[in-house]
Amino acid sequence: LSSVQFIMSEVTVKTRRFLTNRLLSRRQFVVDVLHPGQAPVSRAKLQKELARMYKADAANVFVFGFKTKFGGGKSTGFGLIYDNAEAAKKFEPRYRLIREGMAEKRSRGRKAFKDLKKKRRTTWGTGRREAARKARKAAAA
């Protein structure tokens, strides 16, 4: 039950339920942020602070799922620190990689999107998955 705590100008950052996950090459934990009388702290600031606390590269720190308690003053979320960028790219969901600037958002044209939607409506069962895959390949090419 180790908890790391850091105070940055009236904002306290604590971690709990710390776990080293060797299979996914990361450290994972719950982050508690105490910010009485202030707005919730930005994810970028939290990433920098957690990177400093755990002596890691800020680019390999991912924080997400923050909920502010009713009445404010405390936010709780989840944090991951990957050992390297390759592990992060391998295991993190694509939307979080896009959020951190490690991947580009796919831009699909309106026509391609409509075709994919039509294809999904007209096919059923396992054929639906295959049709969606073929439509995606056709749109990418």
Side-chain angles (χ1 to χ4, degrees), residues 30-136:
V30 174
V31 182
D32 290 326
V33 184
L34 299 169
H35 47 89
Q38 295 178 345
V41 182
S42 71
R43 286 182 324 144
K45 284 183 182 175
L46 286 174
Q47 282 177 315
K48 286 179 189 169
E49 205 47 58
L50 289 167
R52 199 188 62 67
M53 284 165 65
Y54 287 104
K55 297 173 181 64
D57 183 15
N60 296 334
V61 178
F62 292 82
V63 290
F64 56 93
F66 277 85
K67 299 282 184 222
T68 304
K69 299 288 183 224
F70 180 73
K74 183 179 180 184
S75 300
T76 302
F78 205 70
L80 305 171
I81 301 176
Y82 283 93
D83 295 344
N84 52 48
E86 294 80 47
K89 285 180 182 175
K90 184 176 179 184
F91 297 117
E92 271 301 283
R94 186 165 173 79
Y95 77 94
R96 284 206 294 251
L97 291 174
I98 291 168
R99 206 183 263 178
E100 299 303 323
M102 295 178 106
E104 289 296 315
K105 186 174 182 178
R106 292 189 195 114
S107 60
R108 185 180 294 146
R110 183 172 168 79
K111 178 74 175 155
F113 183 78
K114 295 275 187 188
D115 288 343
L116 181 63
K117 189 175 167 185
K118 182 181 177 188
K119 192 69 100 169
R120 279 196 197 124
R121 271 198 310 251
T122 57
T123 54
W124 284 97
T126 55
R128 176 180 247 177
R129 193 171 33 230
E130 286 300 316
R133 197 171 295 137
K134 284 178 186 173
R136 256 188 256 120

